[in-house]
Amino acid sequence: MKSGKMLIASRGYTSVGVAELCDHAGVRKGSFYYFFPSKSELAVAVIDSFWQDFDESLTLALEADLSPLARIEAFLDQIFVRHRDTCRSTGNVRGCLLGNLTLELSATENEIRQCLADALGRFGQRLAATISEAMEVGELPKGDADLLADELVAYVEGMILLAKARNDASVIERLRSGALALLGGPRRARRSRARN
Amino acid sequence: MKSGKMLIASRGYTSVGVAELCDHAGVRKGSFYYFFPSKSELAVAVIDSFWQDFDESLTLALEADLSPLARIEAFLDQIFVRHRDTCRSTGNVRGCLLGNLTLELSATENEIRQCLADALGRFGQRLAATISEAMEVGELPKGDADLLADELVAYVEGMILLAKARNDASVIERLRSGALALLGGPRRARRSRARN
């Protein structure tokens, strides 16, 4: 599983073969198919595992002892730092596993697509709850928190896509300003000097 | 080329083999390699051809006889209509070829990544010119048109990603409202009844 996650995160789903997965993990093909009757079941397990890690980092940011809007900003900064660090250590902006697999596979692998749609939906729900709180305390204008959360998920995934196309994580550093505009709040850039 | 474009647009790059491409196009492998010494050169040609078609549709929307902001709105509506129509005819939201290949390949295929980054850059430049015009006539608040265009490209690609994950083109119908918020303009939904 760990091998699958690493290989799929760095190279995508289709280009990684079962033989290579088994070599990397040091297991025999028979064992692989015992746990994952098909490669797509491995993909689903990899997505679930990615979601669990991601959900933990969402919790860290969205349940911090800050105002609701400051928690959303902390989450956006955290996304940038994560991608910048991966780029520093691997030389590549790898992108978000959910976004990568969505655009690689959704039109052909329905089971995987559904799993990705669910994870992106949970991502949106987590954000919607905090957006609602920000509306209640007057940090954001009242509106449809679920729709705005959807738009924010799309914007985050789109900025990561642009960073990956340019292989330049600094694109994601600008996430916060546009995200706040999308939510109807004040544009505020990341204080990069203080936090880098 | 036409076969390559169709197969790669519907299934991605890695999963389409050269033998299948040749079968689909009715050519022999030798002829394929005469024109495209490697599969990645086909991908570059496919991206160029996609860009030419897309640039034509951008010109249609962005040079129409409307106010600058109305031209941007027309372009956003056109994106929705294009994806809705593809979904109606194929049963799938296929996504944007540039976005799909970016997230499938950027971390591993540097030549293709550069070609995608260039196309996304040209897309941004086209939008930036019209955003600047909208600022000049007071339809949008003054700001950095290049940065805003980048954010708009990211948002468009992200909303298409979400639509692909859900296999539901109607997600893209909401593009206009969030895009206007991002640019600092008034949120305005698409008038779907009048135009569908």
Side-chain angles (χ1 to χ4, degrees), chain A residues 10-12 14-15 92-96 98-100 102-108 110 113-114 116-117 120-121 147-148 150-151 153-155 157-162 164-167 171 174 177-179 181-183 187, chain B residues 10-12 14-15 92-96 98-100 102-108 110 113-114 116-117 120-121 147-148 150-151 153-155 157-162 164-167 171 174 177-179 181-183 187:
Chain A
S10 62
R11 301 220 324 257
T14 315
S15 77
N92 285 308
V93 175
R94 286 191 174 170
C96 163
L98 301 180
N100 292 352
T102 294
L103 293 199
E104 184 185 347
L105 297 174
S106 286
T108 53
N110 202 49
R113 182 191 66 68
Q114 190 58 56
L116 291 162
L120 289 166
L147 276 185
L148 287 174
D150 241 24
E151 295 179 358
V153 168
Y155 184 63
E157 293 292 343
M159 287 296 272
I160 295 171
L161 184 152
L162 217 52
K164 193 168 171 178
R166 296 186 189 151
N167 201 29
V171 172
R174 302 192 330 247
S177 164
L182 204 54
L183 298 177
R187 272 192 179 261
Chain B
S10 62
R11 302 219 324 259
T14 316
S15 77
N92 284 308
V93 174
R94 286 191 174 170
C96 162
L98 301 179
N100 292 351
T102 294
L103 293 198
E104 184 185 347
L105 298 175
S106 287
T108 52
N110 202 49
R113 181 192 65 69
Q114 191 56 57
L116 291 162
L120 289 166
L147 276 184
L148 288 173
D150 242 22
E151 294 179 1
V153 168
Y155 185 62
E157 292 293 341
M159 288 297 272
I160 294 171
L161 185 152
L162 218 53
K164 192 167 170 178
R166 295 186 188 149
N167 201 27
V171 172
R174 302 192 330 248
S177 163
L182 203 55
L183 299 177
R187 274 190 178 264

Side-chain angles (χ1 to χ4, degrees), chain A residues 14-151:
Chain A
T14 315
S15 77
V16 177
V18 170
E20 185 183 7
L21 280 164
C22 292
D23 274 354
H24 197 273
V27 300
R28 281 179 299 184
K29 266 202 177 181
S31 314
F32 177 89
Y33 285 112
Y34 179 79
F35 290 106
F36 305 108
S38 69
K39 191 178 151 200
S40 68
E41 290 179 61
L42 171 71
V44 168
V46 162
I47 294 163
D48 283 344
S49 163
F50 173 88
W51 169 256
Q52 279 163 27
D53 293 347
F54 186 58
D55 194 37
E56 269 176 37
S57 68
L58 268 171
T59 300
L60 267 179
L62 297 181
E63 297 182 5
D65 189 19
L66 295 165
S67 81
L69 194 58
R71 282 181 263 145
I72 293 171
E73 294 182 76
F75 156 72
L76 296 169
D77 290 347
Q78 180 185 293
I79 297 250
F80 162 64
V81 170
R82 173 193 298 239
H83 287 273
R84 182 200 59 193
D85 290 351
T86 304
C87 189
R88 279 184 182 164
S89 64
T90 67
N92 285 308
V93 175
R94 286 191 174 170
C96 163
L97 185 89
L98 301 180
N100 292 352
L101 293 182
T102 294
L103 293 199
E104 184 185 347
L105 297 174
S106 286
T108 53
E109 299 270 353
N110 202 49
E111 186 193 355
I112 301 178
R113 182 191 66 68
Q114 190 58 56
C115 180
L116 291 162
D118 290 346
L120 289 166
R122 286 194 294 268
F123 179 14
Q125 282 161 14
R126 294 295 308 267
L127 291 175
T130 312
I131 292 171
S132 281
E133 284 182 64
M135 288 172 178
E136 275 159 31
V137 300
E139 285 190 305
L140 288 177
K142 298 269 180 200
D144 185 327
D146 291 322
L147 276 185
L148 287 174
D150 241 24
E151 295 179 358

